[in-house]
Each structure stands twice: as C-alpha cells, then as structure tokens.
Amino acid sequence: MMIFTKLRLINRFSPPLVHLSRGYRLPPNFVSYLDNFSKDFNNQNNSIVNSFEELKGKLAEHAELETMKKNTTDNEFVEMAAADMEDISEDIEELVEKISFKLG
C-alpha cells in the first residue's frame, strides 16, 4: 500500500511521461525512486529489484551505444548502433511497464 501511494504521488506531481531524445520513455524520477526503493527494501530476491537491476543494465548499454555512435565516422557502424539502440529502447520501455505494473 505504501509503494502505491508513493508512486501515485510521484505521478501526480510530475508531468506525464517524458520522451527523451534517447529514444525511450521514462517517467520523471523513475530511476531515482527505484534506486531508493532498492536501498529501502534491501532484498536482492525481490522481483522489482531484479527488474530494476536489469533496467539499469539496459540504460547503461544504451548510453554506451549512443556514445560509440557519436564518436565514429563509419556509416555502417552508426546504422548497426542505431538498430541496437532501437531494440534496447523497446526493452527499456517493456521493463518500465513491467516494474510500474508490479508497483501499482
């Protein structure tokens, strides 16, 4: 019940979903909220914490591809990175939906 109330407050006082230039959507303060939730819950076997760890990995992978894409002049590599980033963006959005469903 407490989790639902906190999530509802976050959603109420934040603008709706923010579309980032990165190609995926995250609710405002979503990562910081889940980071605090993980610390407070302190249970590595929790499905929300596990999904959040997976989400952090996908976010890092996306950021790495974005950096590599910006730093290369090889058009073929840029196209491959863009395709991988699109796939990862879809994974990120699925994880956000999955975590949001579990929270509330």
Side-chain angles (χ1 to χ4, degrees):
M1 184 71 166
M2 182 80 138
I3 294 168
F4 178 70
T5 304
K6 287 181 184 179
L7 187 61
R8 199 166 65 197
L9 285 173
I10 288 171
N11 290 335
R12 183 171 185 188
F13 293 109
S14 299
L17 294 177
V18 176
H19 185 68
L20 303 174
S21 62
R22 295 184 181 109
Y24 54 83
R25 297 168 11 149
L26 287 175
N29 304 320
F30 191 72
V31 173
S32 61
Y33 173 78
L34 287 172
D35 197 32
N36 289 333
F37 174 83
S38 298
K39 290 176 187 172
D40 291 344
F41 200 84
N42 199 20
N43 182 355
Q44 297 303 320
N45 294 326
N46 183 287
S47 63
I48 295 172
V49 173
N50 293 339
S51 295
F52 177 52
E53 292 299 321
E54 186 178 349
L55 175 65
K56 287 194 301 187
K58 293 290 184 182
L59 291 171
E61 188 177 351
H62 192 280
E64 184 179 337
L65 282 169
E66 190 170 27
T67 301
M68 291 184 341
K69 182 179 159 188
K70 287 179 183 177
N71 295 334
T72 189
T73 57
D74 182 5
N75 288 337
E76 187 176 326
F77 182 77
V78 169
E79 290 175 11
M80 288 173 34
D84 288 346
M85 288 171 63
E86 189 174 315
D87 291 341
I88 292 171
S89 294
E90 291 175 11
D91 293 343
I92 289 170
E93 289 198 20
E94 287 176 13
L95 284 168
V96 168
E97 287 180 28
K98 179 180 175 181
I99 292 169
S100 297
F101 179 76
K102 289 179 182 178
L103 285 172

